[in-house]
Amino acid sequence: MSHAPSTLAPRGPLPRSRPLVISAWAVTVLVAVQFAMVAVVPVAITLVTVLRNDALRPLRWWAVALGTAYGAGLALWAIGPDRAPSLSKNLHPGHEVAIVVLGIALAVAYHALRRRHYAR
């Protein structure tokens, strides 16, 4: 009895995506060390990489959650009536933790996806 392949499973080898991994870890580090405004570049790279590559489809929720969390903090800073001189000073500590955790989760999910894909 053969099993039909899942429609969500990528066909062929899972591509190695250094930009995704480096960007996910960079977001984590930049926000953690109070350089949150600079993290806009790795967040954008992460979103573009995941959304343009069909093989990385299982990571879309993680990438969108990271982009949304970061974008919400950026929007609150930009439209706030008494905004701080930097995004890092304006972010609530809980919001910073959420961004850091989502960055770590995205990187770990990518590594787990690659490991699971090559274990088959």
Side-chain angles (χ1 to χ4, degrees), residues 11 14 18 20 22 26-27 34 44 57 64-65 74 81 97 111 113 115 119:
R11 295 180 189 192
L14 185 65
R18 283 189 181 150
L20 172 66
I22 292 169
V27 169
Q34 301 294 310
R57 181 179 214 116
V64 169
L74 187 62
V97 168
H111 290 300
L113 181 66
R115 179 170 287 172

Side-chain angles (χ1 to χ4, degrees), residues 25-42 88 100:
W25 286 114
V27 169
T28 301
V29 171
L30 288 171
V31 171
V33 298
Q34 301 294 310
F35 285 100
M37 185 58 86
V38 180
V40 72
V41 175
S88 298
V100 168

Side-chain angles (χ1 to χ4, degrees), residues 8 10 54-62 113 116:
L8 292 179
D54 285 337
L56 299 174
R57 181 179 214 116
L59 301 177
R60 286 186 181 173
W61 286 106
W62 291 108
L113 181 66
R116 187 178 71 207

Side-chain angles (χ1 to χ4, degrees), residues 74-114:
L74 187 62
L76 289 172
W77 173 75
I79 63 173
D82 55 338
R83 67 185 202 185
S86 74
L87 177 61
S88 298
K89 293 180 189 218
N90 197 58
L91 283 176
H92 186 276
H95 200 137
E96 285 183 22
V97 168
I99 294 170
V100 168
V101 167
L102 286 169
I104 291 170
L106 178 62
V108 169
Y110 170 76
H111 290 300
L113 181 66
R114 277 190 56 88

Side-chain angles (χ1 to χ4, degrees), residues 15 17-21 23-24 27 39-57 59-68 106:
S17 182
R18 283 189 181 150
L20 172 66
V21 174
S23 296
V27 169
V40 72
V41 175
V43 168
I45 291 171
T46 300
L47 281 170
V48 168
T49 302
V50 171
L51 295 177
R52 291 192 73 198
N53 193 338
D54 285 337
L56 299 174
R57 181 179 214 116
L59 301 177
R60 286 186 181 173
W61 286 106
W62 291 108
V64 169
L66 175 64
T68 302
L106 178 62

